[in-house]
Structure formats: structure tokens, C-alpha cells
């Protein structure tokens, strides 16, 4: 199947963890008429994005939020790229973790954010994820009925090596739950997704939380889909809502044939 219908949910993040799950369920019910193949959620969609919150909201894999998302994927018969949420392990570590469920609600992918968002922009944003989060170590590419897809989280996407490795492992779509802020968002959100799509000749899909000016971390929003040619197919504004778009995976093959960047790589000299 070449065409995939993607629905991005740009949801507001509430302090009540399960209210966030309920809002996702409401949006999935509303969007059911779109006949989506994949529904995508934002980074930390069920936890206000502040370091102190991550250990408090964290659940083990298979926890209450995981179970609710699995049920929603099965109920609506969609692949659910379930944003990300804080995950706790048996050793007391906390991760920023993204899960993907198939149409039956089975988990088919899990990615722990690899690159910690520890930044200090003069006159702008300060944030230090590593205060409470542990970095993941695995590159995530998974199989679907449409072919392989890559999965990473927000700051991970800034590192071109990661996107290239996912591409070389067969990904034609890279899914990115993200939450750029009011400093980095206007500066880099759009150009980053266009660059990664253009360099690797893949679709890039970035799903962000809606903007809430009263929150401790203000999201840029602007959930986005970029084609393998580097053009923006969809981009939302800052407000809560959803958008649906069909993407054609045959376009990946056409672009790679017409402009064979991957085939022209000089791996004999890069090393």
C-alpha cells in the first residue's frame, strides 16, 4: 500500500495525567471518520514538560497510560505513534519514552530519547533534561504493513547522524514527537524537519503539544509533515486540534531515483 493517511493530534497538556488520555480518546473518536492509518501524539503529551514532573508522572512499560493507549489503537484499528511519556524502570531510572502500537493494540516499537535536551540559550530558554532523565541508547526502526519507519524524540532529530542511520536501516518515514519552545521553535522547527527530509529523502512527521502560555514550558506547536522533496505538506498553527493528510510512499522511491543522493554517497572517503 503506497498511500498512508496520517492524523496528527496537537493536544493541550493538562496536569491531570488521565485527562490527557481522555482528550486523546475524544480526538480519536472525532477523527475516526478520517479513516486514518496512523495517529500521532506529541512529546510528553500526558505530563507537563518540566524536569521535576518526569519522575512523578513516570510509569513502567505496560502501566496505566500504556494500557489505555494500547486499547485506543485496537479500538480504532490504527497504528498509534503514542507521543512520549516518562517511563520508569526497575532500577529507578526515568526515560523520555515513545511507544508505537499496531492496529490490534500490540506494541511494535519503543524509543527512549537518546540526546538529553540540556541547553542554555542566552536571552532565551534554559532546560536540563538530564537532571531527572536518563538517555536511551537504541536507534529505533520498526516494521509496518507500509514498510519501515523510524522513530525518535524531539532533540534527537537535531542530530543528522541519527536520521541517516534510520534511513539506511530502511525508514521511509521518520516519526518525531517533539516540543520545541518559543526560543527554538521559530528559529529551527521548520528548517530542521525540512533538512532531515531533504537530506534523507524521507517523510518527516513532527507532532507537538498545543501552546499554553500559562504553562511552565511553552510549546511552539506547529505540528508538521514534510515530503522527501523537502516541501511542507502540512503545518498547524499553535492551537489545539488535529490535521489529517495522505502521504504517498511511492514518492520516496521516485525522488530517490530522480535525485540519487543515497546512491551517490562517497563512503569510500567519508570514513
Amino acid at each position: 500500500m503506497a498511500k498512508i493517511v496520517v492524523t496528527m493530534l496537537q493536544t493541550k497538556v493538562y496536569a491531570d495525567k488521565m485527562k490527557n488520555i481522555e482528550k486523546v480518546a475524544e480526538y480519536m473518536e472525532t477523527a475516526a471518520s478520517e479513516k486514518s492509518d496512523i495517529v500521532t501524539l506529541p512529546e510528553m503529551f500526558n505530563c507537563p514538560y518540566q524536569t521535576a514532573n518526569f519522575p512523578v508522572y513516570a510509569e513502567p512499560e505496560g502501566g496505566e497510560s500504556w494500557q489505555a493507549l494500547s486499547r485506543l489503537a485496537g479500538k480504532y484499528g490504527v497504528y498509534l505513534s503514542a507521543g512520549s511519556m516518562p517511563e520508569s524502570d526497575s532500577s529507578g531510572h526515568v526515560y523520555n519514552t515513545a511507544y508505537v502500537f499496531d492496529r490490534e493494540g500490540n506494541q511494535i516499537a519503543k524509543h527512549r530519547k537518546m540526546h538529553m535536551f540540556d541547553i542554555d540559550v542566552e536571552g532565551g530558554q534554559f532546560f536540563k533534561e538530564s537532571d531527572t532523565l536518563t538517555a536511551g541508547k537504541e536507534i529505533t526502526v520498526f516494521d509496518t504493513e507500509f514498510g519501515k519507519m523510524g522513530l525518535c524524540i524531539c532533540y534527537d532529530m537535531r542530530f543528522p547522524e541519527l536520521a541517516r542511520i534510520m534511513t539506511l536501516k530502511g525508514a521511509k518515514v521518520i516519526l518525531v514527537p517533539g516540543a520545541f519552545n518559543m526560543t527554538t521553535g521559530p528559529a529551527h522547527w521548520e528548517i530542521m524537519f525540512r533538512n532531515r527530509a531533504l537530506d534523507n529523502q524521507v517523510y518527516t512527521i513532527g507532532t507537538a503539544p498545543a501552546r499554553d502560555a500559562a504553562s511552565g514550558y511553552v510549546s511552539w506547536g506547529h505540528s508538521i509533515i514534510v515530503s522527501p522533496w523537502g516541501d511542507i505538506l502540512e503545518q498547524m498553527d499553535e492551537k489545539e486540534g488535529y490535521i489529517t493528510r495522505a502521504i504517498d510512499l511511492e514518492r520516496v522511491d521516485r525522488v530517490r531515483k530522480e535525485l540519487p543522493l543515497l546512491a551517490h554517497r562517497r563512503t569510500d572517503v567519508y570514513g
Side-chain angles (χ1 to χ4, degrees):
M1 188 184 298
K3 292 195 175 177
I4 309 173
V5 178
V6 180
T7 295
M8 297 187 293
L9 305 186
Q10 184 166 285
T11 53
K12 182 179 176 181
V13 181
Y14 297 92
D16 181 339
K17 184 195 295 186
M18 296 316 294
K19 183 175 181 179
N20 295 300
I21 302 284
E22 292 166 5
K23 294 296 289 186
V24 168
E26 290 173 11
Y27 271 111
M28 289 182 72
E29 176 68 28
T30 301
S33 62
E34 305 281 359
K35 308 296 185 186
S36 305
D37 296 301
I38 301 176
V39 175
T40 66
L41 307 183
E43 182 180 22
M44 289 293 179
F45 81 97
N46 69 342
C47 171
Y49 196 84
Q50 294 172 288
T51 54
N53 288 335
F54 300 151
V56 177
Y57 282 70
E59 301 177 16
E61 180 179 338
E64 185 179 21
S65 296
W66 185 101
Q67 292 177 39
L69 294 164
S70 170
R71 287 194 296 269
L72 285 171
K75 178 178 179 180
Y76 293 102
V78 296
Y79 288 90
L80 179 58
S81 177
S84 79
M85 67 182 80
E87 178 214 355
S88 56
D89 71 6
S90 58
S91 301
H93 297 110
V94 178
Y95 301 91
N96 184 346
T97 300
Y99 300 105
V100 179
F101 301 93
D102 67 14
R103 296 184 188 272
E104 287 75 45
N106 302 307
Q107 180 183 308
I108 57 171
K110 173 183 178 178
H111 179 79
R112 289 170 167 170
K113 191 173 188 177
M114 299 173 62
H115 303 88
M116 292 291 91
F117 186 56
D118 292 357
I119 66 157
D120 187 1
V121 180
E122 185 177 354
Q125 184 77 34
F126 172 84
F127 205 86
K128 194 175 181 185
E129 274 189 328
S130 64
D131 280 345
T132 56
L133 293 178
T134 298
K137 298 179 180 179
E138 301 295 328
I139 295 169
T140 308
V141 174
F142 61 97
D143 290 307
T144 73
E145 68 197 72
F146 313 104
K148 293 184 183 294
M149 297 187 183
L151 175 68
C152 65
I153 301 172
C154 199
Y155 194 54
D156 285 339
M157 193 63 161
R158 285 186 177 270
F159 298 86
E161 299 92 340
L162 178 57
R164 175 53 53 88
I165 291 169
M166 288 190 284
T167 300
L168 294 177
K169 287 178 175 287
K172 294 184 178 181
V173 178
I174 298 178
L175 302 170
V176 189
F180 275 35
N181 56 59
M182 297 302 292
T183 299
T184 59
H188 300 146
W189 177 261
E190 180 181 308
I191 196 170
M192 182 187 73
F193 279 96
R194 295 188 74 184
N195 277 343
R196 297 296 165 266
L198 183 63
D199 288 347
N200 297 289
Q201 300 174 311
V202 296
Y203 285 96
T204 57
I205 300 175
T207 312
R211 190 177 307 169
D212 179 0
S215 67
Y217 181 96
V218 183
S219 171
W220 173 240
H222 289 263
S223 297
I224 192 169
I225 301 177
V226 180
S227 83
W229 190 250
D231 49 325
I232 297 170
L233 301 180
E234 296 288 352
Q235 185 168 193
M236 299 178 71
D237 57 19
E238 77 284 1
K239 294 184 287 294
E240 186 174 11
Y242 75 90
I243 198 162
T244 298
R245 173 79 185 215
I247 62 173
D248 183 1
L249 291 190
E250 288 183 356
R251 190 175 182 191
V252 174
D253 298 324
R254 289 198 303 272
V255 168
R256 290 179 180 180
K257 182 178 180 181
E258 294 166 358
L259 189 64
L261 298 181
L262 298 174
H264 287 168
R265 291 180 307 121
R266 286 294 306 276
T267 56
D268 58 317
V269 295
Y270 297 158

